Amino acid sequence: MAPPSNATPAGILALLPRLSDADADIRYMSLNDLDGILRAGGSSFLWNEYHTCAKTVECLLKALDDTNGEVQNQAIKCIGSLTVKAPPELLAPMIEKLSNLKTTNSVDNSIPATALRVFITSFPRPIIGVQPTKSTQEAYVAISKVLIPRLVGYVVISYGAKSQASPPRGMLEVQGDNTIDNDAIDVLIELIRCFGSMLQDAEKKALQKSTMTIFDHERTSTIAKKKAVSAISLLAIYLSDALLSAFVSNILESFRKSHLTAAQRRLLITMVGSLARTVPQRFGPYLKILAPFILSPLTEQAYQDALEDTADSGAVDSEADEVREAALLALEGFLLSCSSDMRPYTDEAIQAALRFVAYDPNVTGAEDEEMSGIQDDADDDAEAEAGEMNDDEDFEEEGAMSDDDDATWKIRRCAAKALYAVISTRSNGDLLESGVLYEKIAPVLVTRFQEREENVRLEILSTLTALVRKTSDNTTTPSSFAGETEFELTSAVEARSRKRRRLGSDATLFDSPVNSTLMAGFQSPQASPPPRSGPKADLTRLSSTIIRGVSRLLKQSTLATKQSVIVLLREIVTAQNGGLSEHFAKIAEPLIDAINSPAGFSASHSIGSAASATSGKLRIEALQLVSVVCDNHSSTIIASFIPTLVPAVAAAVNDKYFKVSGEALMAVESLIKVLTPPRSAGTEKENRGYVEKMYDVVLERALATDADVEVRQRAIHALGVLLARGFELSKAGALSESQTTKATGALLDRLRNETTRLSAVRAIDMYLASNQDHIKIQMGWTRDVALELGAQLRKANRGLRAASLAALRDLAGNAAALRSLDGKTVQALTEMLRPLVSSKDLNLLGMTLVIFAKLVRQSPVEVVDHKLNTSICEIVVTPLGGAVLDALLLLLRTIGEQKVGQPLMQNLLQDVGVNGDPAIVGKAIGTLVVSGGSTVGVKLEDFVTELQSALDDKRKCLALSVLGEAGFRLGSSSPLEPGLFTNYFSSKSQSLPRAAATALGRAGAGDINTYLPVILNTTDKAGSSQYLSLHAIKEILQFSGQARSDISPYTRQMWDKLLAASQAEDNKAVGAECMGRLTVIEPKTFLPSLQKHLQDPSTSVKGMAIQAIRFTLSDSDEDFDEVLRPILIPMLNQMLNDNDLENRRLALGVLNSATHNKAEMILPNLKDLVPLVMKESTVKPELVREVQMGPFKHKVDDGLDVRKSAYETLYTLMEAAYSRISPVDLFERVVAGLGDEHEIKVLSNLMLTKLVHIDPEETGRHLDAIAERYRSILAFKPKENAVKQEVEKLNEANKGVLKVTHLLHSILPANAGAAHNLQGEKWKGYWDWVGKDFKSQLAGVEQELRSQAA
């Protein structure tokens, strides 16, 4: 809308008479026009118009008392617009008139207070630590001069005797009708929220005093008291430490009053609980004196007294119950917000919550015993069945006992929430490991399953579910039977990379199917023996009782309870990788009924954890439970329920609600694994009808054009799982050839559709990767699929490219499929694959090279051409290593073996030569020379001649590398002698001796008996020869798994010589690596030796042993693990407690590596290791020293490197086992790291980006502390003479802070905006400040994050 053309003072004056018009519509429109003028006018267009502003204020005050509500609302809007444009001198009179306004024509008496709140919020909110704007400062002066005295009833800060008269009765004081004005409290809350950071101590004290008097007045309404508590909590954010301490002292004195009423105690407890949530870091230390007062109404004596009073009087004491409810709510706040300060009161808090979770005076002792007798009579099946038949009647009787006046259910619900708080904050590496949660809390929760109030029952089920979920998170190894629907090459490569690399070529990482969906559930899960101790053992002992208890609820309870029970059962199965073997019969029928529940049915009431309970969500949870049960239990357990289970799931596949249909398809996948061989071997004929039924529904949904995209994608995936079992099914007659042809045709059709392409690629990959020796594949289908998959390699979607490449790899690895490719298809596929022979994406490059190797073996002439040779030469000159380099050598070896390598050899010699890394180019040429033999046009002798005659060091290095690789591949038949390499140890060249040592070791790995004795003799020589011989030994040990002769006869001699040679400072690192690799070969011999060296008095020897241990962890096998397992933790404890700073840093690196590679050994012992890491992450003042550098003094922190290693280790532990680490302790170190040196800040920011996803609740509780750290980082200004590096480092730190700030704000909107509590007030202020002062940088960060996400 265009701005008003009369945005001038004259235009305002012209509108004012119309505000008194008799027609309400004209008054409204005039006010609307006035608001438009005020908004359109410049910021200072009224500064000199005192008369106009004064007259406008008078007219607006009159409009506020209008009889028409819309006119009043429009007048309030005009008040806000006028406030920021009026002269500063008029602000105080304006506040005075608004605060004294008495409405006579209006029914709504809150209009003046609303206008005051709009006035307050019109100005830019001041930010702590930032200079407020001029308009905000002027507004504060007016508020301090007029509004605060009007609220409290007296002048707090004098601004001159002439200008300030004594104010009338305070708005927060008792009014003439002997009541408290609720609207005045709203004004107070808005005042504190907007200007709290600018208030002076005297004003804070006055407002606090006036607010506290509200609680003392007997006629104060409940609403007013709740608002007053909110005001006090907000004010506490801005109280100084002294004022907060004084305020807590006043609360303490109030608690100690001898005549304290129940209502007063309840208010005090509520206030304390609110303060704990608002300022947890500052309020936490006071809990040691306040917590006893909160726990006193919850003691055993108080509990017994309450029961006796109820029995004597026949009615509950409602006031006393309200006190208990407030105490339990405060206790929950303490546990969530100040968990570290509540540790001394853990036992008392748990006992109090357990005591009152069963507090139900309306139920007699006999009835309560009957309700809690689930465990006693659960073993009697007949009695249980009889009880189930009468459940409806029982619940009706129990419901009849409930009275509308009975509010004791609130106490039980609050107690359950307090127990939930204990579980959520004290499980990780704490009470869960010690067994407290299962010994004390879980049994009581189980006895309360028959709770008569629905909302309390839901809270109890939710609490027990949280405990089971924590147990599941605490499990070291995940279920090996859980199906994964996502294919991720990187994770598979990382998993394989942990295996012992010396056993074979790393090219196998790209050369084998890695589709976990196919393997998941391939064998029927076998019941594993329960663990002897730990959380999982505790759950195993209790699970039978839990399942028997919830099975009754599942059969007769409300929809919300059923949904909560199913969620609990799913978590139990997930945590135990089973657990329903003996009880599935009890839950199968109601579970199937839940799947068949009619659509559109919803819960009769929505409370607690099942607030969104609907029939659709119940069916989703039930289908998820079916999937988990099938994936984690033997097929024989599920077999008897297949006749009813399959039709129910099949019907759900066709549900109109896409989420139900999608979840049903996931259940179909699990059922397919149950019904198909080898899990169901011998029952193929019996299951034929069920398999065909699932085949029909899955194929129908995969081809349906009207189905949701997600449903079609899941149907395609399920079809891939079904086809992956195709051979066994077709052999048993359960899946005909025509059905297979139709299904594969459907996959090809879906492959050509953009929306379902990725799912089709993965399904085809599963089909091709399964039963590769048996599958009968149609020739035409294979060719079409190969070309379609190749076409996807040009797409921008990397995930699609990676999946298509993996499918092509499995196609090339399937002998039948590979044979069906004709020459034309192979040539077309080669053209599509060739662009991926590039170093831009090494993961894709590795798989591409493996595919080429297989294609070359099948059709060498069609594949190997000038273009491929050129592409190979281009990647040879790039820095390659690991699995990618092995894949390249595999391709070169295949090209040589197929006798088509001569053109490539010419290109490597002429076009590449010394232009690339001699080590990589030499390996390539050496591999081709040996595999191609006489067909490549050069001989091994040619490179010997080149080595001896070349004048260029690069050519000599290349020749050495070629000869070393050739010697390795020729083995004992190699004509090369060790002297050919050792002659260059004494060369004065910088690169030639190292190249000779590497080549010597590479050749020695192929012929150990010839080379190793020579190398060992060289280690006796001091100086560079000894150092070079160590590198040669390292090369031999690295490839000893591929050696053609045994290294064991030389291991003891090698160990002794390595130990002696490593005493030299220059040899320590390489010597430690060699000792580590040697230890992997013979762990029984050398691991005890390393353990002994850790006790050596020499710091240097201990350091070398620590480094050696680290090198053993990444490349080891099962034999090594058996020796390492009993001694790893003692060694780590010894290393981490070493007196030497550098050794402790090395020890942290060992723990980091062990967590990556030996998680099953580390995670169960984190309770001993994590405190040692936490200890090293703190700043130690004794390690900070001052160094004089010319005229300047510079601080040097000798502990920085150790702290950096500690934070790196914490990051690894956080990712690997967050559930075993105390979140309170971890967040304390992360927040502290934000104030540390630059390197630590970067790691802490990185940890926050992970923690916000891992534990958003705990992250939200620390937003205020994070905001303070981030504010100090962004507010730091470099010196004018700061060097360029310092400025760049500062800019990098600021950018990192803004990135994490944006991430936290976007993921935690409720906490960041303080939508449901007051804890995020500081964060909100920080966010407003960042959005204002760093607007452009924040926009740049947001744009960068969006582009990365795209």
Side-chain angles (χ1 to χ4, degrees):
M1 187 175 67
S5 59
N6 57 343
T8 61
I12 294 176
L13 290 174
L15 285 173
L16 295 182
R18 300 174 62 186
L19 301 183
S20 302
D21 194 279
D23 191 339
D25 289 340
I26 294 178
R27 297 198 300 273
Y28 175 83
M29 293 304 299
S30 300
L31 285 168
N32 186 62
D33 294 342
L34 176 60
D35 184 59
I37 292 175
L38 292 172
R39 291 178 182 275
S43 59
S44 59
F45 86 114
L46 290 177
W47 278 15
N48 296 319
E49 300 292 334
Y50 296 98
H51 173 72
T52 301
C53 290
K55 196 168 183 179
T56 303
V57 170
E58 293 296 332
C59 292
L60 289 177
L61 291 174
K62 183 179 179 181
L64 290 175
D65 194 23
D66 199 280
T67 55
N68 187 287
E70 293 183 357
V71 173
Q72 289 177 312
N73 292 337
Q74 197 63 35
I76 291 174
K77 288 180 64 178
C78 291
I79 289 288
S81 302
L82 177 63
T83 297
V84 294
K85 302 294 175 66
E89 294 80 3
L90 290 183
L91 295 180
M94 192 172 175
I95 296 176
E96 186 174 2
K97 290 180 180 294
L98 286 172
S99 61
N100 292 319
L101 178 64
K102 301 294 182 182
T103 55
T104 57
N105 299 321
S106 174
V107 178
D108 188 357
N109 294 325
S110 66
I111 291 296
T114 304
L116 276 173
R117 289 163 58 194
V118 171
F119 176 93
I120 294 170
T121 57
S122 297
F123 295 95
R125 181 178 298 186
I127 299 172
I128 300 175
V130 180
Q131 184 67 27
T133 63
K134 183 180 179 182
S135 60
T136 302
Q137 183 66 41
E138 292 167 345
Y140 163 70
V141 172
I143 289 172
S144 177
K145 187 184 297 185
V146 179
L147 183 56
I148 293 179
R150 278 293 290 119
L151 287 171
V152 301
Y154 58 91
V155 176
V156 180
I157 297 177
S158 177
Y159 286 87
K162 294 183 179 181
S163 62
Q164 281 189 284
S166 179
R169 177 184 295 172
M171 297 168 64
L172 295 175
E173 295 180 329
V174 179
Q175 303 302 305
D177 57 354
N178 203 29
T179 60
I180 298 295
D181 186 4
N182 291 344
D183 300 323
I185 305 177
D186 290 333
V187 174
L188 172 63
I189 291 174
E190 209 63 60
L191 168 63
I192 298 172
R193 181 176 284 115
C194 294
F195 288 90
S197 61
M198 298 183 69
L199 295 176
Q200 300 181 48
D201 284 352
E203 294 170 328
K204 297 173 187 176
K205 195 172 183 179
L207 292 174
Q208 172 194 314
K209 181 179 178 182
S210 296
T211 307
M212 292 298 293
T213 58
I214 295 175
F215 300 122
D216 298 331
H217 193 261
E218 58 183 10
R219 294 193 60 183
T220 302
S221 66
T222 303
I223 295 177
K225 291 177 180 178
K226 289 182 178 180
K227 289 182 178 180
V229 170
S230 298
I232 285 292
S233 301
L234 269 175
L235 187 61
I237 297 175
Y238 306 103
L239 291 179
S240 63
D241 292 340
L243 287 178
L244 182 61
S245 178
F247 180 49
V248 172
S249 298
N250 291 335
I251 294 177
L252 191 61
E253 292 177 5
S254 300
F255 271 123
R256 290 171 175 168
K257 288 181 180 179
S258 57
H259 301 292
L260 189 66
T261 65
Q264 291 172 333
R265 174 177 290 185
R266 176 171 59 84
L267 283 171
L268 288 172
I269 292 174
T270 302
M271 192 184 310
V272 170
S274 182
L275 288 173
R277 287 180 168 90
T278 307
V279 285
Q281 288 82 15
R282 299 173 60 203
F283 188 76
Y286 295 106
L287 288 182
K288 59 185 178 182
I289 57 175
L290 289 174
F293 293 100
I294 309 303
L295 292 169
S296 61
L298 306 175
T299 60
E300 177 65 25
Q301 184 62 44
Y303 178 78
Q304 295 298 334
D305 291 345
L307 295 180
E308 292 176 3
D309 292 344
T310 302
D312 294 341
S313 63
V316 297
D317 186 348
S318 59
E319 288 192 350
D321 281 353
E322 288 177 355
V323 173
R324 298 183 187 104
E325 180 187 355
L328 287 167
L329 283 172
L331 187 62
E332 179 194 6
F334 294 167
L335 293 168
L336 289 174
S337 304
C338 311
S339 54
S340 58
D341 298 290
M342 278 295 291
R343 287 179 186 268
Y345 302 97
T346 298
D347 292 338
E348 294 178 60
I350 292 176
Q351 291 300 327
L354 292 175
R355 195 174 294 125
F356 282 93
V357 79
Y359 175 68
D360 196 354
N362 278 348
V363 177
T364 63
E367 292 170 328
D368 186 63
E369 183 178 350
E370 181 183 347
M371 290 174 61
S372 61
I374 301 172
Q375 299 179 65
D376 300 331
D377 64 359
D379 294 331
D380 189 347
D381 293 338
E383 186 177 345
E385 290 296 328
E388 290 161 6
M389 293 176 62
N390 297 321
D391 274 336
D392 292 335
E393 182 180 349
D394 293 342
F395 265 79
E396 288 176 4
E397 293 175 358
E398 291 172 2
M401 296 173 62
S402 179
D403 191 351
D404 292 339
D405 296 331
D406 178 21
T408 57
W409 63 269
K410 297 181 180 179
I411 296 177
R412 298 195 298 276
R413 186 179 65 173
C414 291
K417 288 184 175 182
L419 292 174
Y420 186 96
V422 172
I423 292 170
S424 62
T425 58
R426 298 294 304 278
S427 294
N428 298 14
D430 195 355
L431 299 182
L432 185 62
E433 294 286 346
S434 64
V436 171
L437 298 184
Y438 275 104
E439 291 174 5
K440 294 183 178 180
I441 296 179
V444 176
L445 292 175
V446 173
T447 63
R448 299 305 303 169
F449 281 165
Q450 296 300 319
E451 165 66 48
R452 58 193 179 91
E453 289 291 338
E454 171 92 7
N455 48 9
V456 181
R457 191 188 318 134
L458 294 176
E459 199 64 52
I460 289 170
L461 289 169
S462 175
T463 303
L464 188 57
T465 301
L467 175 57
V468 177
R469 187 176 294 118
K470 288 287 186 181
T471 307
S472 179
D473 295 340
N474 199 269
T475 304
T476 302
T477 54
S479 171
S480 59
F481 308 105
E484 298 291 338
T485 60
E486 295 297 326
F487 171 82
E488 183 58 51
L489 170 70
T490 305
S491 61
V493 171
E494 288 176 352
R496 282 188 166 84
S497 67
R498 295 172 190 159
K499 296 184 178 180
R500 193 175 184 178
R501 294 193 186 99
R502 66 186 188 89
L503 296 179
S505 170
D506 279 355
T508 56
L509 298 180
F510 301 109
D511 195 21
S512 56
V514 291
N515 200 315
S516 59
T517 307
L518 175 63
M519 302 307 298
F522 201 79
Q523 295 293 335
S524 192
Q526 301 296 323
S528 57
R532 296 180 180 178
S533 60
K536 194 172 179 180
D538 297 334
L539 175 60
T540 302
R541 286 190 288 269
L542 190 64
S543 60
S544 296
T545 305
I546 296 174
I547 295 168
R548 285 196 296 265
V550 298
S551 62
R552 298 183 62 195
L553 297 178
L554 193 59
K555 293 179 180 179
Q556 49 74 41
S557 293
T558 62
L559 183 145
T561 298
K562 288 181 179 179
Q563 180 174 320
S564 296
V565 166
I566 290 174
V567 172
L568 173 59
L569 288 172
R570 188 187 69 224
E571 294 296 338
I572 290 175
V573 175
T574 303
Q576 298 185 101
N577 299 335
L580 293 184
S581 300
E582 300 176 2
H583 310 280
F584 187 66
K586 295 182 179 180
I587 68 168
E589 183 178 346
L591 181 62
I592 295 172
D593 291 340
I595 297 174
N596 290 325
S597 59
F601 182 72
S602 60
S604 58
H605 57 278
S606 56
I607 302 175
S609 61
S612 57
T614 62
S615 176
K617 293 197 174 182
L618 174 64
R619 299 176 75 189
I620 290 172
E621 297 292 350
L623 289 165
Q624 289 178 351
L625 179 57
V626 168
S627 299
V628 173
V629 168
C630 291
D631 290 337
N632 292 275
H633 292 82
S634 173
S635 301
T636 56
I637 296 172
I638 307 165
S640 58
F641 302 98
I642 290 297
T644 53
L645 187 58
V646 169
V649 175
V653 170
N654 293 313
D655 194 89
K656 62 181 181 180
Y657 184 34
F658 77 95
K659 290 188 177 180
V660 173
S661 181
E663 205 60 55
L665 286 165
M666 298 288 288
V668 165
E669 286 190 26
S670 299
L671 285 170
I672 289 171
K673 298 167 190 174
V674 170
L675 295 174
T676 54
R679 282 186 63 173
S680 61
T683 62
E684 294 87 344
K685 293 183 179 180
E686 293 84 346
N687 296 334
R688 177 178 179 179
Y690 306 122
V691 173
E692 288 183 346
K693 185 175 185 62
M694 289 188 291
Y695 168 86
D696 292 336
V697 296
V698 168
L699 185 62
E700 179 186 353
R701 297 304 276 175
L703 295 175
T705 57
D706 58 342
D708 187 86
V709 173
E710 182 179 346
V711 173
R712 280 182 284 161
Q713 290 173 346
R714 290 194 174 182
I716 293 166
H717 194 277
L719 192 60
V721 173
L722 188 59
L723 286 173
R725 308 295 183 95
F727 172 72
E728 295 291 342
L729 291 173
S730 59
K731 186 170 66 174
L735 198 63
S736 66
E737 185 175 347
S738 62
Q739 288 176 317
T740 302
T741 302
K742 188 176 181 180
T744 54
L747 290 182
L748 179 59
D749 178 68
R750 296 294 90 188
L751 179 60
R752 291 167 175 160
N753 186 290
E754 184 176 357
T755 58
T756 57
R757 185 168 288 148
L758 183 57
S759 299
V761 169
R762 291 170 176 166
I764 290 171
D765 188 15
M766 281 189 285
Y767 176 50
L768 294 170
S770 62
N771 301 310
Q772 296 188 9
D773 297 332
H774 307 291
I775 282 184
K776 296 180 181 178
I777 299 180
Q778 291 183 333
M779 186 177 299
W781 182 84
T782 307
R783 295 173 183 174
D784 292 340
V785 164
L787 294 176
E788 284 293 334
L789 291 173
Q792 310 315 313
L793 302 178
R794 299 192 300 267
K795 299 297 172 60
N797 187 333
R798 186 187 181 279
L800 177 60
R801 296 202 312 273
S804 300
L805 201 60
L808 283 172
R809 177 209 53 214
D810 291 332
L811 187 149
N814 189 306
L818 189 60
R819 285 193 301 268
S820 64
L821 299 181
D822 57 8
K824 184 178 179 181
T825 304
V826 171
Q827 287 180 346
L829 198 56
T830 301
E831 292 294 329
M832 296 173 181
L833 285 166
R834 191 180 299 115
L836 296 182
V837 184
S838 166
S839 59
K840 294 179 180 179
D841 193 324
L842 295 183
N843 269 338
L844 299 186
L845 173 61
M847 277 200 295
T848 305
L849 295 173
V850 169
I851 295 171
F852 267 119
K854 294 178 179 180
L855 293 177
V856 169
R857 190 173 290 112
Q858 176 76 12
S859 308
V861 179
E862 289 83 356
V863 177
V864 181
D865 56 11
H866 176 70
K867 293 181 180 179
L868 179 61
N869 292 338
T870 302
S871 299
I872 293 175
C873 291
E874 290 175 355
I875 63 170
V876 166
V877 298
T878 59
L880 301 177
V884 179
L885 178 58
D886 286 336
L888 172 62
L889 298 181
L890 173 65
L891 173 59
L892 293 172
R893 188 184 70 193
T894 306
I895 291 174
E897 290 171 349
Q898 299 302 319
K899 305 187 184 308
V900 290
Q902 184 174 2
L904 177 58
M905 177 61 77
Q906 293 177 356
N907 289 347
L908 288 173
L909 293 174
Q910 297 175 6
D911 301 336
V912 178
V914 296
N915 294 326
D917 183 355
I920 298 174
V921 179
K923 285 185 177 183
I925 296 175
T927 300
L928 196 57
V929 166
V930 175
S931 62
S934 60
T935 63
V936 296
V938 293
K939 300 178 181 179
L940 195 60
E941 292 77 8
D942 296 335
F943 294 98
V944 176
T945 303
E946 176 75 7
L947 174 63
Q948 296 173 345
S949 61
L951 300 177
D952 185 5
D953 285 348
K954 287 187 176 181
R955 294 185 181 277
K956 288 180 179 291
C957 290
L958 177 59
L960 284 168
S961 181
V962 171
L963 293 172
E965 185 68 23
F968 170 72
R969 296 191 178 275
L970 290 172
S972 58
S973 61
S974 171
L976 305 176
E977 294 294 332
L980 181 67
F981 302 99
T982 57
N983 289 337
Y984 294 93
F985 277 16
S986 58
S987 173
K988 297 181 179 179
S989 170
Q990 293 183 350
S991 56
L992 200 55
R994 182 67 176 271
T998 303
L1000 176 64
R1002 185 71 168 165
D1007 188 4
I1008 288 177
N1009 293 326
T1010 301
Y1011 281 78
L1012 190 54
V1014 176
I1015 297 173
L1016 292 177
N1017 291 333
T1018 312
T1019 58
D1020 295 332
K1021 301 178 182 179
S1024 61
S1025 295
Q1026 188 181 61
Y1027 175 77
L1028 293 171
S1029 65
L1030 292 180
H1031 276 281
I1033 293 174
K1034 183 185 78 171
E1035 196 75 16
I1036 289 178
L1037 293 173
Q1038 187 173 355
F1039 296 98
S1040 59
Q1042 304 173 35
R1044 292 168 174 79
S1045 53
D1046 190 10
I1047 198 175
S1048 57
Y1050 304 95
T1051 52
R1052 171 51 65 182
Q1053 184 183 1
M1054 289 174 64
W1055 180 268
D1056 295 336
K1057 289 185 177 293
L1058 286 171
L1059 186 62
S1062 299
Q1063 300 302 314
E1065 189 67 28
D1066 293 340
N1067 298 343
K1068 282 183 180 178
V1070 64
E1073 183 175 354
C1074 292
M1075 294 175 71
R1077 294 187 183 279
L1078 192 57
T1079 303
V1080 173
I1081 297 174
E1082 291 190 12
K1084 293 182 180 179
T1085 303
F1086 300 122
L1087 255 181
S1089 298
L1090 285 178
Q1091 188 178 18
K1092 182 179 179 181
H1093 288 314
L1094 291 176
Q1095 302 172 359
D1096 196 280
S1098 170
T1099 300
S1100 176
V1101 173
K1102 286 190 289 186
M1104 182 188 62
I1106 294 172
Q1107 291 186 73
I1109 293 171
R1110 180 178 182 180
F1111 283 112
T1112 66
L1113 299 174
S1114 58
D1115 300 330
S1116 55
D1117 56 13
E1118 290 76 10
D1119 294 337
F1120 177 84
D1121 290 348
E1122 288 301 318
V1123 182
L1124 178 67
R1125 186 171 286 108
I1127 64 175
L1128 177 59
I1129 302 304
M1131 287 195 301
L1132 281 171
N1133 276 299
Q1134 184 176 353
M1135 291 186 285
L1136 291 169
N1137 284 294
D1138 195 90
N1139 294 327
D1140 186 73
L1141 192 65
E1142 177 62 16
N1143 283 351
R1144 293 204 303 273
R1145 184 188 69 81
L1146 295 173
L1148 288 168
V1150 174
L1151 176 57
N1152 198 339
S1153 179
T1155 306
H1156 278 294
N1157 299 285
K1158 309 293 178 187
E1160 71 281 0
M1161 302 182 195
I1162 296 296
L1163 302 192
N1165 298 280
L1166 286 184
K1167 61 182 180 180
D1168 299 324
L1169 299 173
V1170 170
L1172 298 175
V1173 182
M1174 296 281 189
K1175 179 182 176 182
E1176 297 300 334
S1177 69
T1178 59
V1179 178
K1180 296 179 173 59
E1182 64 272 16
L1183 296 178
V1184 180
R1185 53 192 173 88
E1186 203 171 63
V1187 178
Q1188 188 79 29
M1189 300 181 66
F1192 305 104
K1193 291 183 178 180
H1194 179 64
K1195 286 188 176 180
V1196 176
D1197 188 351
D1198 294 328
L1200 178 60
D1201 290 339
V1202 179
R1203 287 205 309 281
K1204 184 179 177 182
S1205 296
Y1207 272 94
E1208 290 172 349
T1209 306
L1210 281 177
Y1211 178 83
T1212 301
L1213 293 172
M1214 175 197 71
E1215 284 195 310
Y1218 176 77
S1219 61
R1220 295 173 180 264
I1221 304 174
S1222 170
V1224 177
D1225 296 338
L1226 180 62
F1227 271 94
E1228 179 185 345
R1229 297 315 314 146
V1230 172
V1231 173
L1234 295 175
D1236 209 321
E1237 296 295 333
H1238 176 73
E1239 296 86 346
I1240 310 297
K1241 289 177 184 176
V1242 172
L1243 288 169
S1244 298
N1245 276 329
L1246 188 60
M1247 293 174 74
L1248 277 177
T1249 61
K1250 299 289 184 180
L1251 286 169
V1252 71
H1253 295 286
I1254 297 174
D1255 194 346
E1257 290 185 6
E1258 192 67 30
T1259 307
R1261 298 186 191 113
H1262 292 81
L1263 281 179
D1264 285 351
I1266 295 170
E1268 292 179 1
R1269 297 287 188 179
Y1270 278 174
R1271 188 191 297 277
S1272 63
I1273 295 173
L1274 295 176
F1276 178 78
K1277 303 297 181 184
K1279 298 178 181 179
E1280 293 183 359
N1281 60 347
V1283 297
K1284 181 180 179 182
Q1285 290 82 352
E1286 292 180 354
V1287 176
E1288 290 177 350
K1289 184 181 291 187
L1290 180 62
N1291 292 336
E1292 180 185 351
N1294 290 349
K1295 185 176 180 180
V1297 166
L1298 292 174
K1299 279 186 176 181
V1300 183
T1301 297
H1302 179 268
L1303 180 67
L1304 293 174
H1305 189 76
S1306 59
I1307 294 180
L1308 303 172
N1311 300 75
H1316 69 280
N1317 57 46
L1318 302 175
Q1319 188 175 344
E1321 284 296 314
K1322 288 186 179 180
W1323 176 267
K1324 187 174 182 180
Y1326 162 73
W1327 175 256
D1328 293 340
W1329 172 64
V1330 168
K1332 179 182 177 182
D1333 288 15
F1334 296 87
K1335 184 176 181 180
S1336 59
Q1337 297 97 314
L1338 190 61
V1341 165
E1342 293 176 356
Q1343 180 63 34
E1344 181 180 342
L1345 293 175
R1346 280 195 297 268
S1347 62
Q1348 290 176 355

